[in-house]
Amino acid sequence: MFSTGKQPEYIRHTYKLSNELKSYSVYQITAVDDNKNLLTDVLRIEKFQGKSNATNIKDYLRLRTATNWQKCQMITGLRPTQRRVLFYGDRKKVNESNEMDELKELLIFVFSENREILIIDVYRGFYPYNKGILQNILNRYEKHLKQ
């Protein structure tokens, strides 16, 4: 499946819906693997407003990095898959000097059916530039969701 023979590792972040309006949903963190929060304790999934060149997305992830949501960091669009609760995106890595790097890392989003729970798996330092590898990762999630 992967050329190294092993699966890339991720850090799982689990969030619970805390506020919902027509144009966005706010989620509060409830758990994170190994206490390694790579996102923020509060985040927002909002309707995509065309503020980037992204295509084929309806929603966008915004991290709570400022007191005003409009100034908070926009990370990635949620790209749809075959399953309506499964999405993927990417974000540019932050390097040691706290600047955006050109390297990307994969984010997988899994919502509960009622969208009350959101799981985000951050594949730290890994992005599948090969579409086949990305599809294999998504297939594993889809297989798990069918059970």
Side-chain angles (χ1 to χ4, degrees), residues 65-105:
T65 54
T67 55
N68 181 333
W69 276 112
Q70 296 308 311
K71 295 180 180 180
C72 289
Q73 188 178 11
M74 294 181 74
I75 300 295
T76 186
L78 279 65
R79 300 205 171 276
T81 66
Q82 300 292 339
R83 302 283 301 210
R84 65 180 192 88
V85 297
L86 178 64
F87 300 83
Y88 69 97
D90 60 58
R91 80 166 174 187
K92 290 186 177 177
K93 283 180 52 178
V94 176
N95 60 27
E96 288 78 28
S97 55
N98 213 24
E99 298 169 351
M100 289 297 189
D101 203 328
E102 287 304 309
L103 296 175
K104 294 191 289 187
E105 50 193 15

Side-chain angles (χ1 to χ4, degrees), residues 10-22:
Y10 58 83
I11 296 176
R12 176 160 286 180
H13 300 69
T14 305
Y15 290 85
K16 182 172 177 40
L17 182 66
S18 63
N19 187 24
E20 184 172 32
L21 296 175
K22 189 173 183 178

